[in-house]
């Protein structure tokens, strides 16, 4: 007697036996119960999720005669009538399955469609099932479009594909599409437990978990792997034999690696990598298992009450929870990302184990050391404050000012004034505090004080980059501003358009470089100095922007060429120059800066003072 593999033996015979596709079963069941039947169905999804199975069950539902031969269309086919048994055995004359992977041409489709003109021989409906329909050629798709759109009332099309993106939109629009989802490992585990219980095959729960994860959402793959595992284990399934068959990495290696990474133990990391090499375990599987554990750790860290999920009976959850507490959440995210990227680099390495070792060492090298460095710095000199803290205790810090800090460079040490040569005038508080110290202490604290100030401002040789000028400001930076009556309002209007990005490129320059000469009866006359700005397209775009901004559809613009004295660009440049002058004056008159110049011989680096950027032009 020939053996029937589990994937075929336990293929569902009706909708109630379907696993993991309740959304499709519910839709089809309701349609059959109310007899709201479409003429074409498209089932999509990865391999082994039930596309062909649902097609056969649908064909039985449409043609079932019932045990007494008097039945009709039903969502629960009897499975015992002539139509049901013939469809299950593959000899029902009115049910045709076509494999489009090997019959993809227009001739094969034409032969199939020739049968559409004949009514069913024994059944209620003819059902054409085309598997892997995306493999058909374009001419084959075109040949079936008309029949697919308006088939005879006794004909139903069922299409199945693993790649719906390759199916033309003209075909998709003629079908009801159902997406069959990959099955969760918990769903596969539950079904495998039921099947092996019926088969009386002893199996360890952890071995079934490995098979469920290895199936990648495909029930057929899960049953095929189970067949292989039964043969490998001589009629029983245990975790060790299943791991050996799958080449899976024992979770103990993964936990050992993550624990070593949490402790920063590089020796254990390298030794574990060598153990994986000696045992011939897959490097890619190691990183895959690590990402799985890290994902569960991240869930436990973010939502502790949801970490176990439906898999709370898993014995690994306790170790995962321990590691989730030992490893900070940010490091967990970093390790997860590096493991994902590391899997793609294994093929580029001299061998996969060398690649695995480098990925693990990268995980160790990128381990954040900020907390350890902070602890080391605080424990290096107990009771002694850092230089910056000691300096702030004696040097008053001025409040924040609305200008960027200048670069203050100290003069050479020999230029520091001697105590006897200093003026007898009352000294600032910071100066008096320094005078109370001994000369040696004063010399010791002088350099940290200067460093604390210099560390918060740009160095002389690395000056801050110049501030980006406002549009049109550079062109009028040296041109004098002579106000005209309409200049203020025109400047405000143009700057509002620029800030709202209503104008750009040449249109923006036309507005910024123009002077409003007159406003009479809806006609605004502008004057520009350069003929290149007097372009029809730019004028029309500026006119449209002004109409939308002012709500005046009758507004018209005219542009002439001539000398100008008051443009938005010149006003912007004048305002920028005034802000620069005010910023320099504020810094130069600041008491703290004056104290630094007088007491420590500091100087302001020319060009280092920049006003803060204005919020509007």
């Amino acid at each position: 007697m020939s053996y029937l593999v589990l994937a075929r033996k336990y293929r569902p015979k009706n909708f109630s036996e379907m696993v993991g596709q309740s959304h499709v079963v519910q839709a089809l069941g309701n349609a059959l119960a109310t007899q709201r039947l479409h003429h074409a169905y498209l089932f999509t999804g990865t391999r082994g999720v039930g596309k062909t199975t649902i097609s056969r069950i649908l064909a039985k539902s449409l043609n079932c005669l019932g045990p007494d031969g008097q039945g009709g269309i039903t969502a629960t086919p009897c499975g015992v009538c002539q139509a049901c048994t013939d469809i299950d055995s593959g000899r029902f004359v009115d049910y045709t399955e076509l494999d489009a992977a090997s019959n993809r041409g227009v001739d094969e489709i034409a032969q199939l469609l020739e049968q559409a003109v004949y009514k069913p021989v024994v059944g209620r409906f003819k059902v054409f099932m085309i598997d892997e329909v995306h493999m058909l050629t374009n001419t084959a798709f075109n040949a079936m479009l008309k029949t697919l759109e308006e088939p005879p009332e006794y004909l139903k099309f069922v299409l199945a594909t693993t790649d719906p993106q390759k199916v033309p939109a003209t075909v998709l629009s003629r079908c009801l599409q159902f997406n069959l989802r990959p099955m969760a490992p918990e769903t596969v585990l539950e079904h495998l437990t039921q099947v092996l219980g019926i088969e009386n095959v002893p199996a360890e729960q952890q071995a079934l978990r490995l098979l469920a994860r290895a199936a990648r959402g495909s029930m057929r793959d899960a049953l095929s792997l189970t067949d292989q595992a039964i043969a490998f284990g001589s009629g029983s399934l245990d975790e060790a034999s299943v791991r050996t068959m799958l080449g899976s990495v024992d979770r103990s290696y993964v936990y050992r690696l993550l624990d070593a990474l949490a402790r920063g133990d590089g020796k254990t990391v390298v030794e574990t990598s060598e153990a994986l090499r000696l045992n011939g375990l897959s490097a890619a599987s190691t990183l895959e298992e690590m990402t799985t554990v890290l994902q569960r750790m991240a869930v436990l860290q973010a939502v502790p009450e949801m970490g176990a999920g439906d898999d709370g009976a898993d014995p690994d959850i306790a170790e995962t929870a321990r590691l989730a507490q030992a490893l900070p959440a940010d490091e967990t995210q970093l390790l997860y990302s590096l493991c994902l990227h590391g899997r793609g680099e294994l093929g580029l390495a001299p061998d996969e184990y060398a690649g695995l070792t480098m990925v693990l060492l990268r995980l160790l090298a990128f381990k954040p050391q900020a907390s350890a460095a902070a602890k080391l710095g605080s424990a290096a000199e107990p009771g002694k404050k850092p230089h910056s803290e000691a300096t702030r205790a004696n040097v008053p810090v001025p409040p924040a000012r609305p200008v960027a800090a200048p670069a203050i460079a100290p003069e050479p040490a020999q230029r520091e004034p001697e105590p006897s040569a200093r003026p007898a005038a009352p000294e600032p508080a910071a100066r008096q505090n320094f005078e109370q110290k001994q000369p040696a202490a004063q010399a010791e604290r002088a350099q940290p004080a200067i460093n604390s100030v210099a560390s918060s401002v740009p160095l002389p040789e690395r000056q801050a980059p110049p501030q980006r000028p406002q549009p049109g400001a550079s062109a009028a930076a040296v041109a004098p501003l002579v106000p005209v009556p309409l200049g203020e309002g025109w400047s405000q209007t143009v700057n509002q358009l620029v800030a709202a990005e209503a104008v750009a490129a040449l249109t923006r320059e036309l507005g910024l470089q123009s002077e409003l000469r007159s406003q009479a009866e809806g006609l605004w006359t502008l004057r520009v100095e350069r003929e290149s700005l007097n372009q029809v397209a730019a004028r029309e775009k500026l006119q449209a922007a002004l109409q939308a901004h002012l709500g005046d559809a009758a507004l018209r613009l005219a542009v002439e060429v001539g000398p100008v004295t008051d443009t938005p660009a010149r006003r912007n440049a004048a305002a920028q120059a005034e802000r620069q002058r005010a910023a320099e004056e504020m810094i130069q008159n600041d008491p703290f800066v004056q104290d630094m110049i007088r007491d420590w011989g500091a100087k302001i680096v020319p060009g280092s003072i920049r006003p803060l950027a204005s919020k509007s032009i």
Side-chain angles (χ1 to χ4, degrees):
M1 181 177 178
S2 61
Y3 172 73
L4 191 63
V5 298
L6 296 178
R8 295 181 59 188
K9 183 177 180 180
Y10 291 95
R11 181 190 290 269
K13 298 296 191 297
N14 51 61
F15 287 127
S16 63
E17 296 178 2
M18 287 294 300
V19 177
Q21 307 298 343
S22 58
H23 62 294
V24 178
V25 171
Q26 179 179 348
L28 292 178
N30 292 338
L32 290 166
T34 59
Q35 301 206 5
R36 297 178 63 88
L37 302 175
H38 202 269
H39 61 269
Y41 299 87
L42 175 63
F43 298 119
T44 66
T46 186
R47 74 276 178 273
V49 293
K51 300 185 294 297
T52 304
T53 298
I54 288 185
S55 172
R56 293 179 181 177
I57 297 174
L58 180 60
K60 289 193 294 184
S61 298
L62 293 172
N63 291 286
C64 180
L65 300 176
D68 56 357
Q70 303 299 319
I73 299 173
T74 177
T76 56
C78 66
V80 296
C81 68
Q82 189 66 35
C84 291
T85 55
D86 285 351
I87 291 175
D88 285 337
S89 59
R91 59 175 183 266
F92 191 65
V93 68
D94 292 322
Y95 177 70
T96 304
E97 286 189 6
L98 178 70
D99 178 20
S102 54
N103 301 276
R104 57 192 307 265
V106 65
D107 294 336
E108 289 83 355
I109 293 298
Q111 292 177 8
L112 179 67
L113 296 179
E114 285 177 359
Q115 305 176 27
V117 298
Y118 302 105
K119 289 186 176 183
V121 178
V122 295
R124 193 177 293 114
F125 290 95
K126 274 181 175 290
V127 179
F128 290 167
M129 194 276 180
I130 305 178
D131 199 8
E132 300 299 337
V133 69
H134 67 275
M135 299 292 289
L136 292 177
T137 62
N138 288 332
T139 53
F141 275 123
N142 293 332
M144 66 182 292
L145 282 180
K146 188 60 179 178
T147 306
L148 184 64
E149 182 178 7
E150 297 179 356
E153 61 180 8
Y154 52 79
L155 179 61
K156 303 295 181 185
F157 280 95
V158 178
L159 312 180
T161 178
T162 57
D163 196 355
Q165 288 78 14
K166 294 183 180 179
V167 179
T170 52
V171 174
L172 295 177
S173 66
R174 289 165 166 81
C175 302
L176 285 185
Q177 182 173 344
F178 296 93
N179 183 27
L180 279 66
R181 304 164 184 163
M183 301 180 195
E186 294 78 15
T187 303
V188 177
L189 173 63
E190 182 181 355
H191 188 64
L192 290 181
T193 303
Q194 295 176 358
V195 168
L196 294 179
I198 298 173
E199 292 288 317
N200 293 320
V201 176
E204 294 181 1
Q205 196 73 0
Q206 193 61 20
L208 296 183
R209 293 181 194 278
L210 293 174
L211 293 172
R213 286 199 294 262
R216 308 282 185 185
S218 170
M219 187 63 74
R220 184 175 63 223
D221 287 4
L223 292 171
S224 298
L225 288 172
T226 303
D227 257 329
Q228 183 180 353
I230 292 173
F232 189 87
S234 300
S236 64
L237 277 70
D238 60 86
E239 181 182 357
S241 63
V242 171
R243 282 193 183 278
T244 303
M245 182 195 77
L246 296 176
S248 301
V249 176
D250 190 344
R251 281 279 176 91
S252 62
Y253 290 103
V254 175
Y255 293 136
R256 192 186 314 167
L257 286 171
L258 291 176
D259 185 66
L261 291 170
R263 294 182 287 105
D265 185 357
K267 180 180 179 182
T268 301
V269 169
V270 175
E271 289 176 350
T272 306
S273 177
E274 288 300 316
L276 293 170
R277 180 198 298 269
L278 295 176
N279 293 328
L281 298 175
S282 170
S285 178
T286 302
L287 293 178
E288 181 180 352
E289 288 290 331
M290 289 184 69
T291 55
T292 301
V293 175
L294 287 166
Q295 184 268 335
R296 297 182 66 182
M297 290 168 56
V299 173
L300 281 169
Q301 291 168 344
V303 190
E305 63 275 11
M306 296 178 60
D310 296 332
D311 204 21
D314 190 347
D316 292 337
I317 194 64
E319 186 67 13
T320 305
R322 184 188 68 81
L323 288 172
Q325 296 178 354
L327 200 66
D330 57 344
E331 291 189 33
T332 301
Q333 296 291 338
L334 177 62
L335 296 185
Y336 179 81
S337 179
L338 292 176
C339 286
L340 284 182
H341 289 84
R343 290 182 62 187
E345 298 177 2
L346 294 180
L348 304 176
D351 63 82
E352 67 171 3
Y353 295 104
L356 174 63
T357 302
M358 288 304 297
V359 172
L360 295 175
L361 292 178
R362 185 181 307 154
L363 300 179
L364 192 64
F366 279 90
K367 180 179 176 64
Q369 300 291 341
S371 59
K375 294 178 181 178
L376 181 62
S378 61
E381 293 181 300
K384 183 176 179 180
K385 296 181 179 180
H387 289 308
S388 59
E389 185 178 349
T391 304
R392 286 194 297 267
N394 292 319
V395 179
V397 179
R401 301 183 183 278
V403 293
I408 302 179
E411 289 292 327
Q414 61 269 22
R415 295 186 56 183
E416 181 181 356
E418 294 296 331
S420 59
R422 289 173 183 164
E427 300 292 337
R431 172 69 176 167
Q432 294 174 3
N433 289 338
F434 277 109
E435 285 294 333
Q436 295 173 359
K437 306 297 181 181
Q438 297 295 329
Q442 182 179 7
E444 180 182 354
R445 292 181 180 272
Q447 188 63 30
I450 297 176
N451 290 340
S452 65
V453 177
S455 63
S456 61
V457 296
L459 296 175
E461 60 272 19
R462 300 178 65 180
Q463 297 181 8
Q467 185 184 18
R468 183 179 179 181
Q470 301 294 344
S474 58
V478 296
L481 171 65
V482 180
V484 297
L486 300 176
E488 178 65 21
W490 175 242
S491 179
Q492 293 180 0
T493 301
V494 171
N495 286 333
Q496 290 172 2
L497 293 176
V498 173
E501 298 182 354
V503 291
L506 187 61
T507 307
R508 178 188 60 203
E509 289 303 313
L510 173 60
L512 289 170
Q513 304 291 348
S514 61
E515 177 180 306
L516 181 59
R517 301 293 297 175
S518 64
Q519 293 175 308
E521 299 179 353
L523 178 64
W524 291 22
T525 302
L526 304 180
R527 177 181 291 181
V528 294
E529 286 185 328
R530 292 178 291 170
E531 181 65 33
S532 59
L533 293 174
N534 188 14
Q535 302 291 332
V536 176
R539 184 182 73 249
E540 292 177 350
K541 290 181 180 179
L542 181 59
Q543 177 178 288
L546 287 170
Q547 290 174 348
H549 180 69
L550 300 176
D552 185 3
L555 187 148
R556 296 293 180 268
L557 282 184
V559 180
E560 63 183 29
V561 179
V564 297
T565 61
D566 187 356
T567 66
R570 296 195 184 190
R571 286 181 176 267
N572 293 343
Q576 177 69 16
E578 177 59 25
R579 288 196 299 271
Q580 179 68 30
R581 185 199 62 76
E584 292 178 356
E585 181 177 331
M586 181 181 296
I587 290 296
Q588 292 170 356
N589 295 334
D590 187 89
F592 178 77
V593 175
Q594 291 181 352
D595 290 344
M596 293 298 299
I597 294 175
R598 182 180 66 252
D599 297 340
W600 307 110
K603 64 179 181 179
I604 299 175
V605 177
S608 64
I609 301 176
R610 300 289 177 188
L612 293 180
S614 176
K615 295 183 179 179
S616 60
I617 297 179

PDB file of all heavy atoms in Angstrom, residues 369-390:
ATOM      1  N   GLN A 369      29.104  53.316  25.192  1.00  0.00           N
ATOM      2  CA  GLN A 369      29.964  53.375  26.363  1.00  0.00           C
ATOM      3  C   GLN A 369      29.788  54.663  27.150  1.00  0.00           C
ATOM      4  O   GLN A 369      30.596  54.993  27.995  1.00  0.00           O
ATOM      5  CB  GLN A 369      31.437  53.268  25.930  1.00  0.00           C
ATOM      6  CG  GLN A 369      31.766  51.970  25.190  1.00  0.00           C
ATOM      7  CD  GLN A 369      31.706  50.757  26.087  1.00  0.00           C
ATOM      8  OE1 GLN A 369      31.760  50.892  27.310  1.00  0.00           O
ATOM      9  NE2 GLN A 369      31.578  49.579  25.499  1.00  0.00           N
ATOM     10  N   ALA A 370      28.740  55.411  26.870  1.00  0.00           N
ATOM     11  CA  ALA A 370      28.577  56.730  27.516  1.00  0.00           C
ATOM     12  C   ALA A 370      28.415  56.596  29.017  1.00  0.00           C
ATOM     13  O   ALA A 370      29.014  57.335  29.800  1.00  0.00           O
ATOM     14  CB  ALA A 370      27.371  57.449  26.921  1.00  0.00           C
ATOM     15  N   SER A 371      27.580  55.617  29.437  1.00  0.00           N
ATOM     16  CA  SER A 371      27.344  55.484  30.872  1.00  0.00           C
ATOM     17  C   SER A 371      28.599  55.060  31.598  1.00  0.00           C
ATOM     18  O   SER A 371      28.916  55.548  32.678  1.00  0.00           O
ATOM     19  CB  SER A 371      26.228  54.468  31.106  1.00  0.00           C
ATOM     20  OG  SER A 371      26.587  53.209  30.556  1.00  0.00           O
ATOM     21  N   ALA A 372      29.369  54.127  30.975  1.00  0.00           N
ATOM     22  CA  ALA A 372      30.597  53.684  31.621  1.00  0.00           C
ATOM     23  C   ALA A 372      31.615  54.808  31.705  1.00  0.00           C
ATOM     24  O   ALA A 372      32.304  54.984  32.705  1.00  0.00           O
ATOM     25  CB  ALA A 372      31.181  52.493  30.856  1.00  0.00           C
ATOM     26  N   ALA A 373      31.701  55.611  30.644  1.00  0.00           N
ATOM     27  CA  ALA A 373      32.643  56.725  30.663  1.00  0.00           C
ATOM     28  C   ALA A 373      32.261  57.755  31.717  1.00  0.00           C
ATOM     29  O   ALA A 373      33.114  58.332  32.395  1.00  0.00           O
ATOM     30  CB  ALA A 373      32.699  57.376  29.280  1.00  0.00           C
ATOM     31  N   ALA A 374      30.955  57.967  31.874  1.00  0.00           N
ATOM     32  CA  ALA A 374      30.511  58.928  32.882  1.00  0.00           C
ATOM     33  C   ALA A 374      30.868  58.447  34.283  1.00  0.00           C
ATOM     34  O   ALA A 374      31.321  59.213  35.137  1.00  0.00           O
ATOM     35  CB  ALA A 374      29.003  59.149  32.763  1.00  0.00           C
ATOM     36  N   LYS A 375      30.662  57.136  34.523  1.00  0.00           N
ATOM     37  CA  LYS A 375      31.005  56.603  35.832  1.00  0.00           C
ATOM     38  C   LYS A 375      32.503  56.676  36.074  1.00  0.00           C
ATOM     39  O   LYS A 375      32.968  56.973  37.171  1.00  0.00           O
ATOM     40  CB  LYS A 375      30.516  55.153  35.929  1.00  0.00           C
ATOM     41  CG  LYS A 375      29.005  55.018  35.904  1.00  0.00           C
ATOM     42  CD  LYS A 375      28.592  53.566  35.961  1.00  0.00           C
ATOM     43  CE  LYS A 375      27.082  53.430  35.911  1.00  0.00           C
ATOM     44  NZ  LYS A 375      26.657  52.026  35.908  1.00  0.00           N
ATOM     45  N   LEU A 376      33.315  56.389  35.037  1.00  0.00           N
ATOM     46  CA  LEU A 376      34.756  56.439  35.182  1.00  0.00           C
ATOM     47  C   LEU A 376      35.224  57.847  35.474  1.00  0.00           C
ATOM     48  O   LEU A 376      36.085  58.077  36.324  1.00  0.00           O
ATOM     49  CB  LEU A 376      35.413  55.918  33.891  1.00  0.00           C
ATOM     50  CG  LEU A 376      36.948  55.888  33.884  1.00  0.00           C
ATOM     51  CD1 LEU A 376      37.444  54.949  34.958  1.00  0.00           C
ATOM     52  CD2 LEU A 376      37.466  55.462  32.527  1.00  0.00           C
ATOM     53  N   GLY A 377      34.609  58.838  34.787  1.00  0.00           N
ATOM     54  CA  GLY A 377      35.016  60.222  35.018  1.00  0.00           C
ATOM     55  C   GLY A 377      34.673  60.693  36.411  1.00  0.00           C
ATOM     56  O   GLY A 377      35.417  61.442  37.032  1.00  0.00           O
ATOM     57  N   SER A 378      33.547  60.260  36.949  1.00  0.00           N
ATOM     58  CA  SER A 378      33.148  60.709  38.274  1.00  0.00           C
ATOM     59  C   SER A 378      33.949  60.018  39.370  1.00  0.00           C
ATOM     60  O   SER A 378      34.122  60.557  40.457  1.00  0.00           O
ATOM     61  CB  SER A 378      31.657  60.435  38.478  1.00  0.00           C
ATOM     62  OG  SER A 378      31.403  59.040  38.373  1.00  0.00           O
ATOM     63  N   ALA A 379      34.470  58.810  39.077  1.00  0.00           N
ATOM     64  CA  ALA A 379      35.217  58.073  40.091  1.00  0.00           C
ATOM     65  C   ALA A 379      36.714  58.318  40.008  1.00  0.00           C
ATOM     66  O   ALA A 379      37.468  57.860  40.852  1.00  0.00           O
ATOM     67  CB  ALA A 379      34.937  56.569  39.950  1.00  0.00           C
ATOM     68  N   ALA A 380      37.187  59.043  38.986  1.00  0.00           N
ATOM     69  CA  ALA A 380      38.625  59.219  38.831  1.00  0.00           C
ATOM     70  C   ALA A 380      39.214  60.038  39.962  1.00  0.00           C
ATOM     71  O   ALA A 380      40.243  59.693  40.540  1.00  0.00           O
ATOM     72  CB  ALA A 380      38.912  59.885  37.477  1.00  0.00           C
ATOM     73  N   GLU A 381      38.585  61.154  40.308  1.00  0.00           N
ATOM     74  CA  GLU A 381      39.089  62.021  41.366  1.00  0.00           C
ATOM     75  C   GLU A 381      37.943  62.333  42.316  1.00  0.00           C
ATOM     76  O   GLU A 381      37.244  63.323  42.139  1.00  0.00           O
ATOM     77  CB  GLU A 381      39.660  63.306  40.770  1.00  0.00           C
ATOM     78  CG  GLU A 381      40.919  63.085  39.921  1.00  0.00           C
ATOM     79  CD  GLU A 381      41.440  64.380  39.383  1.00  0.00           C
ATOM     80  OE1 GLU A 381      40.700  65.059  38.655  1.00  0.00           O
ATOM     81  OE2 GLU A 381      42.575  64.740  39.691  1.00  0.00           O
ATOM     82  N   PRO A 382      37.697  61.478  43.313  1.00  0.00           N
ATOM     83  CA  PRO A 382      36.575  61.720  44.233  1.00  0.00           C
ATOM     84  C   PRO A 382      36.737  63.050  44.950  1.00  0.00           C
ATOM     85  O   PRO A 382      37.817  63.399  45.412  1.00  0.00           O
ATOM     86  CB  PRO A 382      36.647  60.536  45.210  1.00  0.00           C
ATOM     87  CG  PRO A 382      37.479  59.501  44.487  1.00  0.00           C
ATOM     88  CD  PRO A 382      38.437  60.250  43.637  1.00  0.00           C
ATOM     89  N   GLY A 383      35.634  63.777  45.032  1.00  0.00           N
ATOM     90  CA  GLY A 383      35.625  65.036  45.783  1.00  0.00           C
ATOM     91  C   GLY A 383      36.126  66.222  45.005  1.00  0.00           C
ATOM     92  O   GLY A 383      36.076  67.340  45.497  1.00  0.00           O
ATOM     93  N   LYS A 384      36.647  66.009  43.789  1.00  0.00           N
ATOM     94  CA  LYS A 384      37.169  67.119  43.008  1.00  0.00           C
ATOM     95  C   LYS A 384      36.218  67.432  41.864  1.00  0.00           C
ATOM     96  O   LYS A 384      35.840  66.562  41.112  1.00  0.00           O
ATOM     97  CB  LYS A 384      38.549  66.764  42.437  1.00  0.00           C
ATOM     98  CG  LYS A 384      39.176  67.926  41.653  1.00  0.00           C
ATOM     99  CD  LYS A 384      40.566  67.567  41.181  1.00  0.00           C
ATOM    100  CE  LYS A 384      41.191  68.706  40.386  1.00  0.00           C
ATOM    101  NZ  LYS A 384      42.525  68.383  39.921  1.00  0.00           N
ATOM    102  N   LYS A 385      35.850  68.698  41.719  1.00  0.00           N
ATOM    103  CA  LYS A 385      34.933  69.091  40.670  1.00  0.00           C
ATOM    104  C   LYS A 385      35.675  69.193  39.347  1.00  0.00           C
ATOM    105  O   LYS A 385      36.838  69.537  39.319  1.00  0.00           O
ATOM    106  CB  LYS A 385      34.294  70.453  40.990  1.00  0.00           C
ATOM    107  CG  LYS A 385      33.420  70.440  42.226  1.00  0.00           C
ATOM    108  CD  LYS A 385      32.816  71.788  42.444  1.00  0.00           C
ATOM    109  CE  LYS A 385      31.901  71.812  43.667  1.00  0.00           C
ATOM    110  NZ  LYS A 385      31.317  73.116  43.882  1.00  0.00           N
ATOM    111  N   PRO A 386      35.015  68.882  38.242  1.00  0.00           N
ATOM    112  CA  PRO A 386      35.643  69.089  36.948  1.00  0.00           C
ATOM    113  C   PRO A 386      35.967  70.560  36.739  1.00  0.00           C
ATOM    114  O   PRO A 386      35.420  71.437  37.382  1.00  0.00           O
ATOM    115  CB  PRO A 386      34.568  68.613  35.953  1.00  0.00           C
ATOM    116  CG  PRO A 386      33.658  67.733  36.765  1.00  0.00           C
ATOM    117  CD  PRO A 386      33.702  68.289  38.159  1.00  0.00           C
ATOM    118  N   HIS A 387      36.891  70.797  35.773  1.00  0.00           N
ATOM    119  CA  HIS A 387      37.324  72.176  35.525  1.00  0.00           C
ATOM    120  C   HIS A 387      36.163  73.079  35.184  1.00  0.00           C
ATOM    121  O   HIS A 387      36.070  74.199  35.674  1.00  0.00           O
ATOM    122  CB  HIS A 387      38.352  72.196  34.381  1.00  0.00           C
ATOM    123  CG  HIS A 387      39.676  71.599  34.783  1.00  0.00           C
ATOM    124  ND1 HIS A 387      40.366  71.986  35.891  1.00  0.00           N
ATOM    125  CD2 HIS A 387      40.416  70.624  34.193  1.00  0.00           C
ATOM    126  CE1 HIS A 387      41.497  71.290  35.984  1.00  0.00           C
ATOM    127  NE2 HIS A 387      41.549  70.446  34.952  1.00  0.00           N
ATOM    128  N   SER A 388      35.292  72.607  34.305  1.00  0.00           N
ATOM    129  CA  SER A 388      34.206  73.491  33.891  1.00  0.00           C
ATOM    130  C   SER A 388      33.301  73.842  35.049  1.00  0.00           C
ATOM    131  O   SER A 388      32.831  74.953  35.179  1.00  0.00           O
ATOM    132  CB  SER A 388      33.406  72.813  32.773  1.00  0.00           C
ATOM    133  OG  SER A 388      32.884  71.583  33.238  1.00  0.00           O
ATOM    134  N   GLU A 389      33.055  72.842  35.983  1.00  0.00           N
ATOM    135  CA  GLU A 389      32.188  73.116  37.133  1.00  0.00           C
ATOM    136  C   GLU A 389      32.869  74.072  38.090  1.00  0.00           C
ATOM    137  O   GLU A 389      32.251  74.998  38.630  1.00  0.00           O
ATOM    138  CB  GLU A 389      31.841  71.787  37.823  1.00  0.00           C
ATOM    139  CG  GLU A 389      30.852  71.961  38.949  1.00  0.00           C
ATOM    140  CD  GLU A 389      30.481  70.628  39.574  1.00  0.00           C
ATOM    141  OE1 GLU A 389      30.830  69.594  38.996  1.00  0.00           O
ATOM    142  OE2 GLU A 389      29.860  70.655  40.649  1.00  0.00           O
ATOM    143  N   ALA A 390      34.184  73.897  38.329  1.00  0.00           N
ATOM    144  CA  ALA A 390      34.909  74.788  39.226  1.00  0.00           C
ATOM    145  C   ALA A 390      34.958  76.194  38.666  1.00  0.00           C
ATOM    146  O   ALA A 390      34.871  77.179  39.390  1.00  0.00           O
ATOM    147  CB  ALA A 390      36.328  74.249  39.446  1.00  0.00           C
TER     148      ALA A 390
END
